[in-house]
Amino acid sequence: MSSRMGAPPPEPTSLGRFRDRSSFLYVERATLHRDANALTVTDQEGTVHVPGAMLTTLLLGPGTRVTHSAMSLLGDCGVTVVWVGEQGVRYYAHGRSMARNSHLLAAQARLVTNKRTRLDVARKMFLHRFPGEDVSSLTMSQLRGREGARVKQIYREQSARTGVSWTRRDYRPGQIASDDFINQALTAANSIMYGIVHAAIVSIGCSPGLGFVHTGTDRAFVYDIADLYKAESVIPTAFEVVAGGSIDPIADVRYALRDSIVKTRILDRIVTDIVELFGIADEAADEVGSGTSDFDDWLSEDVISLWSPRGNSQSGVNYGQGSK
């Protein structure tokens, strides 16, 4: 084996923070391998080198083959690998995340298992979508009704803005090719956004299945968070792609959405928004000692403790009476 393939893993200090990385890379019908600390992608057109430490999400489509050394690099770099269907419109599985502790997972579990705090977080999510409105006294039923009306209005507004004909949202699993172009673009854009949000959630140690608004699926929290950004990114991008005369909206919306994600700084905001929704910014600041700018350091702590009702205890210690 080449020594370049067996290069040592990158140091934690050399890894890009989640918010500084590229949003996603979609690959299909290619072979992924490793050259030192770079990921190589080889297809009929040649080989491209990709710095693994600066990737957030790798979407693997049909026809991809990944070597063991490539997966080792991606794991060391904390890249979330997601196996998807044709053109990235279906999610199958994902790999290792960047998380090294359970700080956010513990906070999420605590909040979602209490009816009062769960409703508080759900209201914050809707407030994110209804800026300036008072949702403090609305029930979940009222919040859902307002959201439904809002989404319909957004579709009508985007149709009027772009000139794209709009009837209704029509999503039929496994039958995307038979939908009209705007519904194809929306389905593809939603799937990509779900993949990116899923990567963000697992990368910072949260559970994708513990949702506050959505429930009953292993991606409930993914849908919760993705909904925060659809109105400003997914929906207008899909309408613009179709309005531009695209004959392959599924492929074209992928490139357009990547630009939109960069422009709207969604990767920057996902982590910040989750921290604000959970109300733990002060907790993170107290533990790192220098404010939320070091939140990534707080998440990267790799400390194992033993739980106790009176406070956690140090691991690696024999607590047997009289032990030496």
Short mmCIF file of all heavy atoms in Angstrom, two decimals, residues 73-106:
data_model
loop_
_atom_site.label_atom_id
_atom_site.label_comp_id
_atom_site.label_asym_id
_atom_site.label_seq_id
_atom_site.Cartn_x
_atom_site.Cartn_y
_atom_site.Cartn_z
N LEU A 73 -10.60 8.35 6.15
CA LEU A 73 -10.33 9.78 6.10
C LEU A 73 -11.57 10.59 6.44
O LEU A 73 -11.52 11.54 7.24
CB LEU A 73 -9.82 10.17 4.71
CG LEU A 73 -9.68 11.68 4.46
CD1 LEU A 73 -8.60 12.28 5.34
CD2 LEU A 73 -9.39 11.95 2.98
N LEU A 74 -12.70 10.24 5.83
CA LEU A 74 -13.93 10.97 6.07
C LEU A 74 -14.34 10.90 7.53
O LEU A 74 -14.82 11.88 8.12
CB LEU A 74 -15.05 10.41 5.18
CG LEU A 74 -14.85 10.62 3.67
CD1 LEU A 74 -15.81 9.76 2.87
CD2 LEU A 74 -15.02 12.10 3.32
N GLY A 75 -14.14 9.73 8.15
CA GLY A 75 -14.45 9.59 9.57
C GLY A 75 -13.54 10.45 10.42
O GLY A 75 -13.99 11.12 11.35
N ASP A 76 -12.24 10.45 10.12
CA ASP A 76 -11.30 11.26 10.89
C ASP A 76 -11.60 12.75 10.77
O ASP A 76 -11.35 13.52 11.70
CB ASP A 76 -9.87 11.00 10.42
CG ASP A 76 -9.36 9.62 10.82
OD1 ASP A 76 -9.88 9.07 11.82
OD2 ASP A 76 -8.46 9.09 10.14
N CYS A 77 -12.10 13.15 9.61
CA CYS A 77 -12.38 14.56 9.36
C CYS A 77 -13.78 14.97 9.83
O CYS A 77 -14.15 16.14 9.73
CB CYS A 77 -12.25 14.88 7.87
SG CYS A 77 -10.55 14.79 7.26
N GLY A 78 -14.56 14.01 10.32
CA GLY A 78 -15.90 14.34 10.80
C GLY A 78 -16.87 14.69 9.69
O GLY A 78 -17.82 15.45 9.90
N VAL A 79 -16.65 14.15 8.50
CA VAL A 79 -17.56 14.40 7.38
C VAL A 79 -18.74 13.43 7.49
O VAL A 79 -18.55 12.23 7.65
CB VAL A 79 -16.86 14.20 6.03
CG1 VAL A 79 -17.84 14.41 4.88
CG2 VAL A 79 -15.67 15.14 5.90
N THR A 80 -19.94 13.94 7.43
CA THR A 80 -21.12 13.09 7.47
C THR A 80 -21.41 12.56 6.07
O THR A 80 -21.64 13.34 5.14
CB THR A 80 -22.35 13.86 7.99
OG1 THR A 80 -22.07 14.33 9.30
CG2 THR A 80 -23.57 12.96 8.04
N VAL A 81 -21.34 11.25 5.92
CA VAL A 81 -21.57 10.61 4.63
C VAL A 81 -23.02 10.13 4.58
O VAL A 81 -23.48 9.42 5.46
CB VAL A 81 -20.62 9.42 4.42
CG1 VAL A 81 -20.82 8.80 3.04
CG2 VAL A 81 -19.16 9.87 4.58
N VAL A 82 -23.73 10.56 3.54
CA VAL A 82 -25.14 10.21 3.40
C VAL A 82 -25.33 9.45 2.08
O VAL A 82 -24.93 9.94 1.02
CB VAL A 82 -26.03 11.46 3.41
CG1 VAL A 82 -27.50 11.07 3.36
CG2 VAL A 82 -25.76 12.31 4.65
N TRP A 83 -25.90 8.27 2.16
CA TRP A 83 -26.20 7.49 0.96
C TRP A 83 -27.59 7.88 0.47
O TRP A 83 -28.57 7.79 1.21
CB TRP A 83 -26.14 6.00 1.27
CG TRP A 83 -24.73 5.48 1.34
CD1 TRP A 83 -24.03 4.84 0.36
CD2 TRP A 83 -23.84 5.56 2.47
NE1 TRP A 83 -22.77 4.51 0.81
CE2 TRP A 83 -22.62 4.94 2.09
CE3 TRP A 83 -23.94 6.09 3.76
CZ2 TRP A 83 -21.53 4.84 2.95
CZ3 TRP A 83 -22.86 6.00 4.61
CH2 TRP A 83 -21.66 5.37 4.20
N VAL A 84 -27.66 8.33 -0.78
CA VAL A 84 -28.91 8.85 -1.32
C VAL A 84 -29.25 8.16 -2.63
O VAL A 84 -28.44 7.44 -3.22
CB VAL A 84 -28.83 10.37 -1.55
CG1 VAL A 84 -28.60 11.10 -0.23
CG2 VAL A 84 -27.71 10.71 -2.53
N GLY A 85 -30.47 8.42 -3.10
CA GLY A 85 -30.93 7.85 -4.36
C GLY A 85 -30.54 8.69 -5.55
O GLY A 85 -29.74 9.63 -5.45
N GLU A 86 -31.11 8.37 -6.69
CA GLU A 86 -30.81 9.07 -7.95
C GLU A 86 -30.99 10.57 -7.78
O GLU A 86 -32.03 11.04 -7.29
CB GLU A 86 -31.74 8.57 -9.05
CG GLU A 86 -31.41 9.08 -10.44
CD GLU A 86 -30.22 8.35 -11.06
OE1 GLU A 86 -29.99 7.19 -10.68
OE2 GLU A 86 -29.57 8.95 -11.93
N GLN A 87 -29.96 11.33 -8.17
CA GLN A 87 -29.98 12.79 -8.10
C GLN A 87 -30.15 13.31 -6.66
O GLN A 87 -30.50 14.46 -6.44
CB GLN A 87 -31.08 13.39 -8.99
CG GLN A 87 -30.95 13.02 -10.45
CD GLN A 87 -29.78 13.70 -11.14
OE1 GLN A 87 -29.14 14.57 -10.56
NE2 GLN A 87 -29.50 13.29 -12.36
N GLY A 88 -29.92 12.46 -5.69
CA GLY A 88 -29.97 12.90 -4.30
C GLY A 88 -31.35 13.10 -3.74
O GLY A 88 -31.52 13.80 -2.74
N VAL A 89 -32.38 12.51 -4.34
CA VAL A 89 -33.74 12.81 -3.90
C VAL A 89 -34.30 11.81 -2.89
O VAL A 89 -35.43 11.95 -2.46
CB VAL A 89 -34.71 12.91 -5.11
CG1 VAL A 89 -34.28 14.03 -6.03
CG2 VAL A 89 -34.77 11.59 -5.87
N ARG A 90 -33.51 10.80 -2.50
CA ARG A 90 -33.97 9.88 -1.46
C ARG A 90 -32.83 9.63 -0.49
O ARG A 90 -31.67 9.54 -0.87
CB ARG A 90 -34.45 8.55 -2.05
CG ARG A 90 -35.71 8.67 -2.88
CD ARG A 90 -36.34 7.31 -3.12
NE ARG A 90 -36.80 6.71 -1.87
CZ ARG A 90 -37.33 5.49 -1.79
NH1 ARG A 90 -37.44 4.74 -2.87
NH2 ARG A 90 -37.74 5.01 -0.64
N TYR A 91 -33.18 9.51 0.78
CA TYR A 91 -32.18 9.28 1.83
C TYR A 91 -32.22 7.81 2.25
O TYR A 91 -33.28 7.24 2.45
CB TYR A 91 -32.51 10.17 3.03
CG TYR A 91 -31.82 9.77 4.31
CD1 TYR A 91 -30.58 10.29 4.64
CD2 TYR A 91 -32.41 8.86 5.18
CE1 TYR A 91 -29.94 9.92 5.82
CE2 TYR A 91 -31.78 8.48 6.34
CZ TYR A 91 -30.55 9.01 6.67
OH TYR A 91 -29.93 8.65 7.82
N TYR A 92 -31.05 7.17 2.36
CA TYR A 92 -30.99 5.78 2.77
C TYR A 92 -30.30 5.58 4.11
O TYR A 92 -30.80 4.88 4.98
CB TYR A 92 -30.27 4.95 1.69
CG TYR A 92 -31.00 4.90 0.37
CD1 TYR A 92 -30.39 5.33 -0.79
CD2 TYR A 92 -32.31 4.44 0.29
CE1 TYR A 92 -31.06 5.30 -2.01
CE2 TYR A 92 -32.98 4.40 -0.92
CZ TYR A 92 -32.35 4.83 -2.07
OH TYR A 92 -33.02 4.80 -3.27
N ALA A 93 -29.14 6.18 4.28
CA ALA A 93 -28.38 5.96 5.52
C ALA A 93 -27.32 7.03 5.66
O ALA A 93 -27.02 7.76 4.71
CB ALA A 93 -27.73 4.57 5.50
N HIS A 94 -26.75 7.15 6.85
CA HIS A 94 -25.65 8.09 7.04
C HIS A 94 -24.59 7.47 7.93
O HIS A 94 -24.84 6.48 8.63
CB HIS A 94 -26.15 9.40 7.65
CG HIS A 94 -26.51 9.32 9.11
ND1 HIS A 94 -27.75 8.94 9.53
CD2 HIS A 94 -25.77 9.54 10.23
CE1 HIS A 94 -27.78 8.94 10.86
NE2 HIS A 94 -26.60 9.30 11.31
N GLY A 95 -23.42 8.04 7.91
CA GLY A 95 -22.29 7.53 8.67
C GLY A 95 -21.96 8.36 9.89
O GLY A 95 -22.81 9.06 10.45
N ARG A 96 -20.71 8.33 10.29
CA ARG A 96 -20.22 8.95 11.52
C ARG A 96 -20.35 10.47 11.52
O ARG A 96 -20.29 11.11 10.48
CB ARG A 96 -18.76 8.57 11.71
CG ARG A 96 -18.11 9.12 12.95
CD ARG A 96 -16.62 8.75 12.98
NE ARG A 96 -15.96 9.35 14.12
CZ ARG A 96 -14.66 9.24 14.34
NH1 ARG A 96 -13.91 8.56 13.49
NH2 ARG A 96 -14.11 9.80 15.39
N SER A 97 -20.51 11.05 12.69
CA SER A 97 -20.62 12.50 12.81
C SER A 97 -19.37 13.09 13.44
O SER A 97 -18.44 12.38 13.82
CB SER A 97 -21.83 12.86 13.68
OG SER A 97 -21.53 12.65 15.05
N MET A 98 -19.36 14.42 13.58
CA MET A 98 -18.23 15.13 14.18
C MET A 98 -18.33 15.19 15.70
O MET A 98 -17.38 15.60 16.36
CB MET A 98 -18.20 16.57 13.65
CG MET A 98 -17.96 16.69 12.16
SD MET A 98 -18.28 18.38 11.55
CE MET A 98 -17.10 19.32 12.51
N ALA A 99 -19.46 14.82 16.26
CA ALA A 99 -19.69 15.02 17.69
C ALA A 99 -18.73 14.19 18.53
O ALA A 99 -18.43 13.05 18.21
CB ALA A 99 -21.13 14.64 18.04
N ARG A 100 -18.26 14.78 19.62
CA ARG A 100 -17.38 14.08 20.54
C ARG A 100 -17.93 14.04 21.96
O ARG A 100 -17.27 13.55 22.87
CB ARG A 100 -15.99 14.75 20.54
CG ARG A 100 -15.25 14.64 19.21
CD ARG A 100 -14.90 13.20 18.90
NE ARG A 100 -14.21 13.06 17.62
CZ ARG A 100 -14.81 12.86 16.47
NH1 ARG A 100 -16.15 12.74 16.42
NH2 ARG A 100 -14.14 12.76 15.34
N ASN A 101 -19.10 14.61 22.18
CA ASN A 101 -19.72 14.55 23.50
C ASN A 101 -21.23 14.60 23.35
O ASN A 101 -21.76 14.71 22.24
CB ASN A 101 -19.22 15.71 24.40
CG ASN A 101 -19.52 17.07 23.80
OD1 ASN A 101 -20.65 17.39 23.50
ND2 ASN A 101 -18.48 17.88 23.60
N SER A 102 -21.93 14.52 24.48
CA SER A 102 -23.39 14.45 24.45
C SER A 102 -24.05 15.70 25.04
O SER A 102 -25.20 15.65 25.47
CB SER A 102 -23.86 13.22 25.24
OG SER A 102 -23.41 13.28 26.59
N HIS A 103 -23.35 16.83 25.04
CA HIS A 103 -23.91 18.05 25.63
C HIS A 103 -25.26 18.41 25.02
O HIS A 103 -26.26 18.61 25.72
CB HIS A 103 -22.94 19.23 25.42
CG HIS A 103 -21.64 19.10 26.15
ND1 HIS A 103 -21.52 18.40 27.33
CD2 HIS A 103 -20.41 19.60 25.87
CE1 HIS A 103 -20.26 18.47 27.75
NE2 HIS A 103 -19.57 19.19 26.87
N LEU A 104 -25.29 18.53 23.70
CA LEU A 104 -26.53 18.94 23.04
C LEU A 104 -27.57 17.84 23.04
O LEU A 104 -28.77 18.11 23.15
CB LEU A 104 -26.25 19.38 21.60
CG LEU A 104 -25.74 20.82 21.43
CD1 LEU A 104 -25.33 21.08 20.01
CD2 LEU A 104 -26.82 21.81 21.85
N LEU A 105 -27.15 16.60 22.94
CA LEU A 105 -28.09 15.49 22.98
C LEU A 105 -28.83 15.45 24.32
O LEU A 105 -30.04 15.24 24.37
CB LEU A 105 -27.37 14.17 22.74
CG LEU A 105 -28.23 12.90 22.80
CD1 LEU A 105 -29.33 12.95 21.76
CD2 LEU A 105 -27.37 11.66 22.62
N ALA A 106 -28.09 15.68 25.40
CA ALA A 106 -28.71 15.68 26.72
C ALA A 106 -29.72 16.81 26.84
O ALA A 106 -30.82 16.64 27.39
CB ALA A 106 -27.64 15.79 27.81
#
